[in-house]
Amino acid sequence: MTAMISKAIRIDQHGGPEELKIVDVTVGEPGPGEIRIRHKAIGLNFIDVYQRSGLYPQVMPVQLGMEAAGVIEAVGQGVTHLKVGDRAAYASQPPGSYCELRVMPAKCVCKLPDAISFETGAAMMLKGLTAQYLLRRSQPQGGLNAGDFVLFHAAAGGVGLIACQWAKAMGLQLIGTAGSDEKCALAKAHGAAFVINYAKEDFVARVKEITAGQGVKVVYDSVGKDTFDRSLDCLRPFGLMVSFGNASGPVAPFSPGILGPKGSLYVTRQTLFSHITTRESTQEMADDLFAMVSSGKINIRIDQRFALADVADAHRALEARKTTGCTILTL
Ligand SMILES: NC(=O)c1ccc[n+]([C@@H]2O[C@H](COP(=O)([O-])OP(=O)(O)OC[C@H]3O[C@@H](n4cnc5c(N)ncnc54)[C@H](OP(=O)(O)O)[C@@H]3O)[C@@H](O)[C@H]2O)c1
């Protein structure tokens, strides 16, 4: 077969959004365990910013992007869960979803239910599977039960709005933080039981007030540097701190000794990619997500759309905290 050409977004060195260059790349046939997929829409994620800036160093040059949906065009040897013509979506290593067409490992690519559009599929896989593993698999001693308080930072973002709805479906009282009153209202409308504008309110004091001094069972913190230390003060004894991102910068090193006097706290740093190492675990988590979305319990809100060629503007908006919900790149 003659190699095909795809538009793709590549960086040749780490840096700002200006490093994102549109190029033509050749795409060949899938090898064993791989598929070729023609994208219909691509998801934008904060990890794309870390990979672009160098916070998560990459081998250069690198085609960015971790999430997309499209149609399977070719299937390599040994791939049995997908066939040519299937609608599919994924959140997956290695980066490379910022393109029209790619060859990639099949393991994390899931058949997309007919009821879910390509745009929704592209927007929800990485963020939705993250909300899934956070709320369902990253639990404190004794688990999470209806009525329990959890604190979720950046609750009006892509992962945040999905988590608000998921927590509500589980009967949890999610306290969501966000950087403006408008974002707080959005989180509330999506199921947050309480909201705190952390740009102007002391979130530790407000959490204590809301929980009658008890604190929350879990803090889900993707903001990192600006919130980590104070998040520990929101936990009840034996509470669980789940750190899963660095939107404001990486968390500073700390001594485990501080966790004792704060109530023998647990701290974990989670990443989706530990949860989706096998085809089986990926599909199990995706089935849970698909069921939540297909049943209408979770609405995937796409608040921003950018053409693939305008991806630098999408990065600027995400980094400037100008987005809410999910953002997709269109083709
Ligand atoms: N570990 C994992 O498995 C995993 C997987 C997916 C996502 N994540 C993390 O989860 C977070 C959410 O991801 P997302 O793609 O859905 O992004 P997002 O939440 O839509 O956007 C990030 C949000 O973080 C908040 N933020 C606080 N301080 C910020 C700062 N200094 N600069 C920029 N934003 C800041 C902003 O909301 P406010 O204005 O309301 O503060 C912003 O809208 C990211 O940190 C991401 O890395 C981790």
Side-chain angles (χ1 to χ4, degrees):
M1 182 207 97
T2 39
M4 284 170 285
I5 302 292
S6 168
K7 294 277 178 224
I9 303 292
R10 201 175 70 189
I11 57 169
D12 296 316
Q13 57 180 14
H14 290 303
E18 69 284 355
E19 297 298 337
L20 297 158
K21 304 274 162 47
I22 190 154
V23 293
D24 286 335
V25 294
T26 54
V27 181
E29 292 299 318
E34 294 182 330
I35 49 99
R36 190 173 66 235
I37 182 166
R38 185 169 292 275
H39 292 152
K40 297 285 189 183
I42 299 158
L44 183 80
N45 290 282
F46 221 93
I47 191 172
D48 307 347
V49 170
Y50 309 142
Q51 293 180 339
R52 191 210 70 219
S53 70
L55 181 63
Y56 296 174
Q58 304 295 306
V59 176
M60 295 296 151
V62 63
Q63 187 174 313
L64 292 179
M66 304 292 282
E67 183 182 44
V71 177
I72 304 296
E73 266 199 4
V75 173
Q77 204 188 345
V79 177
T80 54
H81 68 287
L82 293 166
K83 60 181 190 317
V84 172
D86 278 349
R87 302 168 75 254
Y90 65 86
S92 178
Q93 302 271 27
S97 72
Y98 286 1
C99 63
E100 296 166 317
L101 186 66
R102 77 183 286 202
V103 167
M104 64 181 293
K107 189 179 69 175
C108 292
V109 181
C110 298
K111 235 180 124 167
L112 191 63
D114 289 343
I116 301 178
S117 72
F118 287 120
E119 290 204 343
T120 299
M124 77 179 195
M125 290 300 281
L126 199 148
K127 297 169 234 10
L129 292 178
T130 298
Q132 199 278 350
Y133 88 71
L134 290 174
L135 290 165
R136 295 258 205 237
R137 296 174 152 223
S138 309
Q139 298 212 344
Q141 269 191 348
L144 281 175
N145 304 302
D148 284 344
F149 285 106
V150 300
L151 176 63
F152 206 104
H153 289 305
V159 177
L161 285 184
I162 298 174
C164 286
Q165 298 172 79
W166 209 314
K168 185 171 184 195
M170 289 168 69
L172 303 175
Q173 302 202 69
L174 181 145
I175 305 171
T177 62
S180 71
D181 291 344
E182 293 72 24
K183 287 185 177 184
C184 283
L186 199 57
K188 193 101 202 270
H190 285 76
F194 300 89
V195 284
I196 304 172
N197 178 346
Y198 56 7
K200 60 182 190 194
E201 291 178 275
D202 173 348
F203 71 80
V204 180
R206 285 277 289 121
V207 165
K208 289 280 156 65
E209 195 181 296
I210 292 165
T211 61
Q214 300 295 301
V216 297
K217 264 195 170 177
V218 190
V219 178
Y220 296 103
D221 188 336
S222 65
V223 173
K225 180 168 74 68
D226 288 354
T227 49
F228 186 87
D229 292 349
R230 285 177 295 147
S231 291
L232 294 178
D233 294 328
C234 296
L235 284 163
R236 69 178 211 174
F238 306 106
L240 173 65
M241 171 70 181
V242 181
S243 170
F244 71 103
N246 344 257
S248 66
V251 174
F254 67 94
S255 163
I258 66 168
L259 303 174
K262 288 183 190 293
S264 302
L265 303 179
Y266 293 81
V267 176
T268 179
R269 176 56 161 94
Q270 291 283 312
T271 167
L272 172 64
F273 303 107
S274 309
H275 292 269
I276 56 171
T277 51
T278 67
R279 164 100 280 280
E280 292 69 30
S281 63
T282 307
Q283 194 62 53
E284 189 184 315
M285 292 168 66
D287 286 345
D288 194 9
L289 174 64
F290 292 154
M292 293 300 280
V293 173
S294 302
S295 66
K297 287 185 184 143
I298 290 178
N299 171 38
I300 303 295
R301 212 183 137 101
I302 300 171
D303 283 341
Q304 300 77 215
R305 288 177 171 77
F306 293 85
L308 178 63
D310 296 330
V311 63
D313 291 336
H315 275 227
R316 286 185 191 101
L318 188 60
E319 286 178 276
R321 305 165 82 156
K322 288 187 177 147
T323 64
T324 51
C326 300
T327 303
I328 58 163
L329 304 173
T330 56
L331 293 159

